C-alpha cells in the first residue's frame, strides 16, 4: 500500500532565482518552502534549478540557456510539473509551457491548488473557487488548461475540473455569482459572530504549520485537524474555553505564508474577520524554524493588510522542544556570535524586551510551559473581560492553575 502511495506522487521540478534581494542561501530557503508546498499538493521534487538574474526575462522568466537545460531534464525524466517560486505573467506562462510541454505552475497557483484540495466546507470551497477564477481570468487565452484539464493532479483541482470554461464571459459571470454567494454567507457569519455575545474573543494567528491547531487542541480539548503539511486548517474553528473561572472564545484559523496570493486574502475576508474582530491575538511562531523571524514579518504584513496590526498581541514561541542552535568552541576566536548561536534564553531575553513582557516560550506538543501560558492568557483576557462586565468582578476567584 505504502509503495502505491509513493507512486502516486507527481514528479516535480522547482525553479528559483538568485538576485539582489535574495542571495543563494535565501533562495534555497524559499525553495525548501516551495518543496514543502509541492509535497503538500502531492508532488515529489526531483530537481531544483536556480539562476542568477536581476531582471526576469519578459518572455520566459529565466534565460534561454537555462530554459534549454530545464527542458532537457524535463524530457529525459518525464517531469509532469514545473513550479516557479515567483509569480509568472500570463504571457510568460504561455511561452514556457510551449517550450517545456508540461504543466507550469507558479507559487500562487500551487497555493491555490492546495487550498482547493483542502477546502472541506462549501464556504471554504466557494472562497477558493473565487480566488482561482480571479487568478485564471487574465490567463485564459492559450492556457494549458484546455489541453490538460482531464489529466487531473497538481494545479488541476478546482473550477476547471468538471467543465472546460475558456470563455471570459462565463468566468466573469461565475465570479459575480460566487461573490454574491459569499456575500450572503458573510452576512450569516457576521450575525453568528454577533450572537456570540460579549465574551472576549481570542484568535490564534501565525505562519502555516507553526502549531496553532495543536495549541488549540491542547487548551480547548477540542479536536482540530493538525498535520505536518501546509494549510492543514482552512476553516475557522471557534471554541469556548474556560481558564480558571474565566470563559472566553478561542478561534483557530487559516495559516499565513510568504507571498500569500492577494486573491486568497480577499476571498478569505470573512474567515479573516474572525481575526479582525478579535480582542486579543496569540501570534504563534515556530521557533525551531530557521526563518522564524521572517515568518513573523510576513504574518505582521498580512495582519496590517487586514487592519489588525495594532491589536493587543501575545507572541507565543512554540516548538521549543525542537529548537537547536550552533555553539562556538572556546578556542574558536574567529567565529562571531550571531543569532544562530542564540539559546532559548537569549531569545527570551530579546523578545521579552521587544514585546514588553508579552512573549511566551512553549511546546504545545510536549506541554512545556503550558501553565505559564494559561496564566498569561488568563491575565490578558481578564483585563479585557472586566472592562466589559464591570459588575461581575467578584465572579472570578483567585486563579488556580490546573496543569
Ligand atoms: N516538535 C514540535 N512539533 C509541534 C509542536 N506543536 C505542533 N507541532 C507539530 O507541527 C505540525 C503542525 O501543527 P499544526 O497544529 O497543524 O499547525 P498549524 O499552525 O495549525 O498549521 P496550518 O493549519 O497548516 O496553518 C504538526 O505535525 C504538529 O504535530 C511542538 O510544540 N513541538
Ligand atoms: Mg491548523
Amino acid at each position: 500500500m505504502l509503495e502505491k502511495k509513493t507512486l502516486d506522487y507527481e514528479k516535480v521540478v522547482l525553479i528559483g532565482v538568485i538576485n539582489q534581494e535574495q542571495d543563494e542561501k535565501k533562495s534555497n530557503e524559499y525553495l525548501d518552502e516551495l518543496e514543502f508546498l509541492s509535497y503538500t499538493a502531492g508532488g515529489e521534487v526531483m530537481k531544483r534549478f536556480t539562476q542568477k538574474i536581476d531582471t526576469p526575462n519578459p518572455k520566459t522568466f529565466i534565460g534561454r540557456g537555462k530554459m534549454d537545460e530545464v527542458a532537457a531534464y524535463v524530457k529525459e525524466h518525464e517531469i509532469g510539473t514545473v513550479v516557479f517560486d515567483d509569480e509568472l505573467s500570463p504571457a510568460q506562462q504561455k511561452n514556457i509551457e510551449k517550450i517545456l510541454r508540461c504543466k507550469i505552475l507558479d507559487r500562487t497557483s500551487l497555493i491555490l491548488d492546495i487550498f482547493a484540495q483542502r477546502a472541506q466546507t462549501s464556504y471554504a470551497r466557494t472562497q477558493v473557487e473565487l480566488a482561482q477564477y480571479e487568478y485564471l481570468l487574465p490567463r485564459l487565452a492559450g492556457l494549458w488548461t484546455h489541453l490538460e484539464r482531464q489529466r487531473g493532479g497538481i494545479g488541476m483541482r478546482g473550477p476547471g475540473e468538471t467543465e472546460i470554461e475558456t470563455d471570459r464571459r462565463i468566468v466573469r459571470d461565475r465570479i459575480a455569482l460566487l461573490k454574491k454567494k459569499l456575500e450572503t454567507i458573510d452576512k450569516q457569519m457576521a450575525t453568528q459572530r454577533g450572537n456570540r455575545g460579549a465574551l472576549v474573543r481570542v484568535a490564534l494567528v501565525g505562519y502555516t504549520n507553526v502549531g496553532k491547531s495543536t495549541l488549540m487542541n491542547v487548551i480547548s480539548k477540542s479536536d482540530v485537524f493538525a498535520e505536518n503539511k501546509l494549510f492543514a486548517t482552512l476553516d475557522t474553528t471557534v471554541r469556548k474555553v474556560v481558564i480558571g473561572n474565566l470563559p472566553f472564545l478561542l478561534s483557530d484559523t487559516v495559516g499565513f505564508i510568504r507571498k500569500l496570493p492577494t486573491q486568497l486574502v480577499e476571498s478569505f475576508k470573512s474567515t479573516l474577520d474572525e481575526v479582525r474582530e478579535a480582542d486579543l491575538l496569540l501570534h504563534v511562531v515556530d521557533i525551531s524554524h530557521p526563518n522564524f523571524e521572517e515568518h513573523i514579518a510576513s504574518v505582521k504584513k498580512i495582519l496590517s493588510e487586514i487592519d489588525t496590526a495594532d491589536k493587543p498581541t501575545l507572541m507565543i514561541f512554540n516548538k521549543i522542544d525542537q529548537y537547536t542552535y550552533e555553539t562556538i568552541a572556546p578556542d574558536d576566536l574567529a567565529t562571531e556570535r550571531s543569532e544562530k548561536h542564540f539559546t532559548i534564553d537569549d531569545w527570551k531575553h530579546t523578545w521579552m524586551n521587544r514585546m514588553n513582557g508579552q512573549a511566551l516560550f512553549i511546546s504545545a506538543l510536549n506541554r512545556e510551559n503550558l501553565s505559564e501560558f494559561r496564566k498569561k492568557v488568563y491575565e490578558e483576557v481578564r483585563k479585557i473581560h472586566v472592562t466589559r462586565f464591570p459588575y461581575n468582578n467578584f465572579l472570578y476567584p483567585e486563579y488556580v492553575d490546573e496543569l
Side-chain angles (χ1 to χ4, degrees):
M1 261 336 263
L2 243 176
E3 210 168 318
K4 171 150 193 325
K5 220 177 160 195
T6 14
L7 283 179
D8 280 347
Y9 274 78
E10 265 178 67
K11 286 189 195 171
V12 173
V13 161
L14 306 182
I15 298 184
V17 293
I18 298 164
N19 55 31
Q20 278 169 348
E21 278 150 40
Q22 52 192 58
D23 58 11
E24 194 172 342
K25 186 166 166 275
K26 253 295 79 82
S27 165
N28 242 322
E29 286 165 359
Y30 290 159
L31 289 181
D32 285 344
E33 186 172 85
L34 197 66
E35 181 161 347
F36 199 2
L37 282 167
S38 307
Y39 161 71
T40 301
E44 187 192 355
V45 174
M46 309 300 290
K47 197 173 167 68
R48 299 172 173 193
F49 288 91
T50 49
Q51 187 177 36
K52 278 196 185 114
I53 35 165
D54 275 324
T55 30
N57 183 315
K59 285 194 180 128
T60 52
F61 195 77
I62 51 173
R64 188 65 216 214
K66 192 54 123 189
M67 191 55 89
D68 289 343
E69 217 182 289
V70 178
Y73 186 89
V74 164
K75 198 164 175 219
E76 189 186 338
H77 296 89
E78 296 176 340
I79 300 299
T81 308
V82 173
V83 187
F84 286 72
D85 192 37
D86 303 82
E87 187 150 334
L88 299 171
S89 72
Q92 283 167 337
Q93 196 164 358
K94 197 171 143 192
N95 293 332
I96 299 167
E97 195 253 325
K98 259 192 207 148
I99 301 170
L100 297 183
R101 308 221 145 267
C102 66
K103 271 188 284 177
I104 309 300
L105 301 179
D106 57 17
R107 198 168 215 278
T108 307
S109 52
L110 185 60
I111 294 175
L112 286 171
D113 187 63
I114 296 171
F115 271 64
Q117 203 180 352
R118 301 238 147 187
Q120 297 283 337
T121 59
S122 91
Y123 182 54
R125 275 201 293 272
T126 312
Q127 288 177 315
V128 176
E129 203 180 333
L130 176 60
Q132 283 189 309
Y133 274 124
E134 281 183 336
Y135 175 82
L136 208 62
L137 191 59
R139 294 175 167 76
L140 276 177
L143 202 63
W144 36 261
T145 42
H146 58 281
L147 304 169
E148 305 266 349
R149 270 296 180 198
Q150 293 89 336
R151 274 204 209 161
I154 306 178
M156 296 296 161
R157 288 165 280 241
E161 223 170 21
T162 48
E163 274 273 307
I164 303 158
E165 293 171 326
T166 43
D167 186 349
R168 278 167 199 270
R169 194 177 46 81
I170 297 176
V171 171
R172 280 208 194 92
D173 287 352
R174 186 81 191 137
I175 287 176
L177 197 79
L178 287 168
K179 278 190 174 157
K180 244 199 198 130
K181 196 170 157 191
L182 279 182
E183 246 170 56
T184 317
I185 311 178
D186 284 352
K187 271 192 203 128
Q188 288 166 0
M189 307 244 313
T191 321
Q192 264 178 28
R193 283 197 302 272
N195 288 344
R196 285 196 206 128
L199 278 187
V200 175
R201 280 159 39 184
V202 181
L204 290 160
V205 295
Y207 213 73
T208 179
N209 211 44
V210 294
K212 298 178 294 298
S213 301
T214 309
L215 188 57
M216 172 95 171
N217 288 341
V218 170
I219 342 173
S220 69
K221 301 183 182 70
S222 66
D223 227 348
V224 177
F225 188 52
E227 187 183 26
N228 193 23
K229 280 193 175 176
L230 302 179
F231 306 115
T233 312
L234 279 196
D235 285 294
T236 304
T237 319
V238 184
R239 292 270 183 280
K240 190 167 168 183
V241 178
V242 183
I243 298 184
N245 213 355
L246 181 60
F248 61 93
L249 296 174
L250 181 67
S251 68
D252 174 26
T253 190
V254 59
F256 298 163
I257 197 164
R258 184 180 79 93
K259 291 193 188 165
L260 190 69
T262 43
Q263 295 94 337
L264 271 178
V265 178
E266 259 167 48
S267 61
F268 271 72
K269 186 189 145 297
S270 193
T271 301
L272 295 171
D273 274 348
E274 206 64 58
V275 176
R276 201 175 296 127
E277 292 175 14
D279 302 296
L280 173 69
L281 300 183
L282 305 181
H283 181 166
V284 186
V285 178
D286 173 359
I287 196 168
S288 72
H289 196 290
N291 283 350
F292 79 88
E293 288 191 291
E294 202 179 317
H295 292 176
I296 294 175
S298 300
V299 170
K300 284 196 171 157
K301 184 162 173 279
I302 296 167
L303 287 177
S304 66
E305 277 167 24
I306 58 168
D307 300 325
T308 49
D310 302 329
K311 273 197 199 297
T313 305
L314 281 179
M315 296 296 291
I316 314 293
F317 293 90
N318 189 30
K319 305 201 191 180
I320 54 169
D321 60 290
Q322 211 172 256
Y323 179 74
T324 52
Y325 57 92
E326 289 176 22
T327 47
I328 307 171
D331 56 349
D332 178 356
L333 302 175
T335 310
E336 225 169 278
R337 197 167 183 273
S338 68
E339 290 187 342
K340 61 177 188 258
H341 304 107
F342 273 25
T343 62
I344 287 284
D345 276 340
D346 292 329
W347 282 121
K348 248 185 212 170
H349 193 73
T350 308
W351 279 95
M352 282 300 202
N353 273 337
R354 244 181 239 174
M355 289 300 296
N356 221 349
Q358 302 295 77
L360 285 153
F361 291 75
I362 63 162
S363 163
L365 199 69
N366 292 355
R367 304 181 173 227
E368 270 176 83
N369 287 345
L370 282 192
S371 52
E372 194 189 326
F373 168 82
R374 291 162 66 97
K375 195 163 174 231
K376 184 76 188 162
V377 173
Y378 176 87
E379 280 166 14
E380 292 307 309
V381 172
R382 188 179 166 141
K383 271 187 214 160
I384 305 164
H385 190 102
V386 292
T387 60
R388 227 163 268 181
F389 304 97
Y391 307 109
N392 276 9
N393 283 357
F394 60 91
L395 273 180
Y396 306 104
E398 279 306 294
Y399 174 68
V400 185
D401 199 349
E402 287 175 356
L403 286 177

